[in-house]
Every structure is written in structure tokens, then in C-alpha cells.
Amino acid sequence: MAVDSGPLLRKLALVGGNAIACSLVRPSAKGGLLHQCKLSSMVIGQRIRELRQANNLSQGDLEQRTGLLRCYTSRVENGHTVPTIETLEKYARALEVPLYRLFYEGEEVPKNLELPSDEGAKPMWGAKGHERDELRKFAKALSRMDDHHRTLLLGMAQRMAGRKRRK
């Protein structure tokens, strides 16, 4: 499949709590978005090192600001460890940069991605007002049930939903 060679935008994805940098490729022919992902702990580590050095900070300074050990920062910078999102947030705060700067290499602020509008789409039940309150009460009740009762309730709800469609 041929892919538009337009500019790629780095994006953050989560896999098992670890950060993965993805390049967001233009919309696919099927209407979705193509993602080209690879584990890029080395890129993340290099960006942290570049930002740390640009701020004239040592790994020891980062240790004091983040509470993370200096040897951990060294492992991240050398690509031996992939930090979690929470850890990346600590680094961003310590380096006094927004989180996206750990993944974005340009100097100017990236342009917002234009997504298709939701106009004409039916709003989801539970998104507003009293429906949200009902949904929270339902979730609380479900959390108090055992697996057997939850399964029974789910089966009954599915049968009720099926009857509604037939009428």
C-alpha cells in the first residue's frame, strides 16, 4: 500500500504502562489511521539527555528534582530502560517542558491534528447529567456483586436489549 509521504507526527502510545513512540501516518484507504510503531526507548532517552544538557542539569540534579535514582536516569538515557508515562511526567516537570517535548523534535509548537467532527453522531448514553449519575450508581452496584450475579445481570440485560430491537 502506498503511503502519503507527508510529514509524520510523533504520538505517544501505551503498551503495558510503557511509552512507545508512534508515527501517525495519514488516513488509510479504509477510513482509519495507519500507525507505524516501534519501541523507541533510545529516542526518548536521547531527548531527555538533550533537554537535560540544554538546561545545564546533571543526572544528579534530575535525581533531586524527580526522586528517581541517577543510575535509573542513566539507563533511560542510554536506552536500556523504557520509562512509564508517570516517570516521563516526572522528567518533563523536572526539565520544565511540556510532556510532548520528550517526543517532538521540532522547535515550534506542533499543529493540532484535524480529526473528523462528531456532528450528526448520536451522543452516547451516560455522557451527560442524570444519565452519568445513573451509570455511576450502576457501576457501584456491579462492583459489590460477585461474578455469578454479574453474569446473570449481563445476560438479562442482553436479552432485554434484544427484545427491544425486535419490536
Side-chain angles (χ1 to χ4, degrees), residues 39 41-42 45 71-83:
L39 190 61
S41 58
M42 186 63 105
C71 60
Y72 179 78
T73 298
S74 174
R75 290 186 55 77
V76 169
E77 287 183 356
N78 291 313
H80 299 296
T81 300
V82 180

Side-chain angles (χ1 to χ4, degrees), residues 61-123:
D61 295 332
L62 275 186
E63 179 179 18
Q64 290 175 343
R65 290 180 175 203
T66 62
L68 301 168
L69 296 175
R70 187 204 59 76
C71 60
Y72 179 78
T73 298
S74 174
R75 290 186 55 77
V76 169
E77 287 183 356
N78 291 313
H80 299 296
T81 300
V82 180
T84 63
I85 294 299
E86 291 80 16
T87 303
L88 291 172
E89 288 174 339
K90 288 180 184 181
Y91 281 125
R93 276 193 301 273
L95 295 167
E96 299 174 353
V97 296
L99 184 60
Y100 79 87
R101 288 284 309 272
L102 298 179
F103 303 95
Y104 183 70
E105 297 170 357
E107 290 299 318
E108 68 280 347
V109 177
K111 295 179 182 177
N112 288 337
L113 184 63
E114 293 182 28
L115 299 174
S117 70
D118 290 350
E119 292 178 21
K122 184 178 176 184

Side-chain angles (χ1 to χ4, degrees), residues 18-33:
N18 292 324
I20 308 274
C22 295
S23 297
L24 179 64
V25 182
R26 301 272 179 200
S28 72
K30 295 180 181 179
L33 295 174

Side-chain angles (χ1 to χ4, degrees), residues 2-67:
V3 177
D4 185 347
S5 61
L8 298 178
L9 171 70
R10 252 184 231 273
K11 174 184 161 170
L12 180 66
L14 293 177
V15 175
N18 292 324
I20 308 274
C22 295
S23 297
L24 179 64
V25 182
R26 301 272 179 200
S28 72
K30 295 180 181 179
L33 295 174
L34 298 174
H35 295 277
Q36 184 178 21
C37 297
K38 65 180 177 125
L39 190 61
S40 59
S41 58
M42 186 63 105
V43 173
I44 294 168
Q46 287 173 349
R47 288 293 296 151
I48 290 172
R49 177 179 286 137
E50 289 169 4
L51 292 167
R52 176 179 61 79
Q53 291 173 343
N55 289 332
N56 295 320
L57 297 172
S58 67
Q59 290 179 346
D61 295 332
L62 275 186
E63 179 179 18
Q64 290 175 343
R65 290 180 175 203
T66 62

